[in-house]
Amino acid sequence: MELGERAAMERSATSQAASFLRRAPALDWLRPSTTSPLGEEAGIFRSRVSQPETVNGPLVGTACLEVGAVPLHQQIVAFSQRAQAAGVNRVRVLPLFLLAGVHVMEDIPAEVELARHELPDLNLEICPHLGSHPGLIGLLRHKLSTTATEALIVLSHGSRRPGGNAPIYTLAQGLGGTAAFWAVAPSLDTQVIHYMQSGVQRVAILPYFLFAGSTTDAITHHTEELAERFPRMGFHLLPPLGPSPELANLVIDLALDRIPTKPQQALVPMQRVAFRHAVHPSSLVS
């Protein structure tokens, strides 16, 4: 992905997520209380605070890893200093990424460590990344619950970090489909050809991305090209996850350490289901 495109997607993703977090009904129960695990010291990373005042609930905001006005660690420091003036001494940074790739495992921790050196009196923590939440599969199952199809391809950007793509294979298997990647092998073309050779005539493609952007636009155009190359196959192109109260609640769970502790039920494959969605008008792709 071009650097400018990645930056635009990050800005869009973080701004949309923050908007839904601020409007999510679940924020009503985020106000600190004596039973809250974070109490009155709680704070979620926010890039801007209007003015120092007593904190009545977690602060929610955004920051960009790449191509921001200033580096990420400086954004963290600037926010944290304002948050400390408002009485906060604990800030948590939540990586809004679906895969534990280089950004999550290396880049963000390095930036946070730089910020810690300038914030010796602040408890600065990194939350698990969004893609680690077990509830994500429920959101995807909801997208795949209304229309039948013969096969499903879960299409992720892909990571070159060893083992970084393993969760996508597990996710695709749990949804009764197969995995493909935009940046690494196996590609979307490879999996489409595999299904075609197996006699499949209708395939659903689920882009495993948080929000629409330049990459999902490119996926749409590429799917239309596949439809021209393989006119005997039909394609359902689904939307990315997109901003929603349900997605915001997953972010809240991670930020406040509210992931269910009981064992998760085994994934039950959902065979031959997909959600019909027209991303862009096209006579070739539905």
Side-chain angles (χ1 to χ4, degrees):
M1 188 188 304
E2 294 292 336
L3 192 60
E5 294 177 349
R6 183 187 295 274
M9 290 185 65
E10 287 184 355
R11 287 192 294 270
S12 173
T14 52
S15 62
Q16 292 181 73
S19 173
F20 270 81
L21 280 168
R22 285 190 289 267
R23 291 187 283 127
L27 288 177
D28 291 340
W29 50 261
L30 293 183
R31 294 189 175 89
S33 67
T34 56
T35 59
S36 170
L38 299 182
E40 295 185 356
E41 299 176 354
I44 305 174
F45 176 63
R46 185 178 185 177
S47 58
R48 298 180 181 87
V49 178
S50 57
Q51 60 183 6
E53 58 183 11
T54 301
V55 177
N56 295 319
L59 307 176
V60 181
T62 66
C64 295
L65 176 62
E66 293 182 334
V67 198
V70 296
L72 175 58
H73 71 275
Q74 292 183 18
Q75 298 173 59
I76 296 174
V77 170
F79 162 73
S80 298
Q81 290 173 341
R82 296 185 179 98
Q84 284 180 306
V88 171
N89 58 22
R90 186 184 186 190
V91 172
R92 311 197 80 204
V93 180
L94 196 153
L96 205 63
F97 290 83
L98 292 174
L99 287 176
V102 173
H103 285 333
V104 169
M105 302 304 294
E106 299 179 15
D107 297 339
I108 293 176
E111 291 290 319
V112 170
E113 189 60 31
L114 290 173
R116 286 194 180 111
H117 289 303
E118 299 187 42
L119 300 164
D121 299 325
L122 181 72
N123 185 5
L124 186 59
E125 304 173 356
I126 303 178
C127 300
H129 69 287
L130 178 58
S132 68
H133 196 300
L136 269 174
I137 193 170
L139 295 185
L140 297 176
R141 282 177 172 166
H142 179 71
K143 287 182 176 292
L144 300 171
S145 63
T146 60
T147 303
T149 191
E150 293 181 73
L152 169 68
I153 298 175
V154 178
L155 178 61
S156 171
H157 181 272
S159 172
R160 291 181 172 85
R161 184 180 178 85
N165 297 320
I168 304 302
Y169 287 105
T170 301
L171 177 66
Q173 182 180 12
L175 293 171
T178 188
F181 302 95
W182 190 247
V184 298
S187 67
L188 177 61
D189 295 47
T190 298
Q191 302 297 47
V192 166
I193 293 172
H194 167 74
Y195 276 131
M196 180 189 67
Q197 293 174 341
S198 300
V200 171
Q201 295 182 339
R202 195 74 175 164
V203 62
I205 301 171
L206 172 61
Y208 190 56
F209 291 79
L210 277 175
F211 306 111
S214 58
T215 301
T216 55
D217 288 344
I219 290 171
T220 299
H221 297 318
H222 189 68
T223 303
E224 292 174 344
E225 293 173 358
L226 288 172
E228 292 180 348
R229 288 171 55 192
F230 308 112
R232 295 186 179 181
M233 292 189 69
F235 295 86
H236 284 172
L237 181 59
L238 286 76
L241 281 167
S244 69
E246 293 78 15
L247 185 65
N249 285 337
L250 301 187
V251 175
I252 292 167
D253 286 345
L254 292 166
L256 298 185
D257 287 328
R258 293 188 173 180
I259 302 297
T261 56
K262 63 181 181 180
Q264 297 293 313
Q265 296 181 350
L267 299 179
V268 178
M270 298 181 64
Q271 298 290 345
R272 297 175 178 167
V273 294
F275 177 82
R276 181 184 297 269
H277 180 85
V279 178
H280 292 288
S282 172
S283 61
L284 301 174
V285 180
S286 62

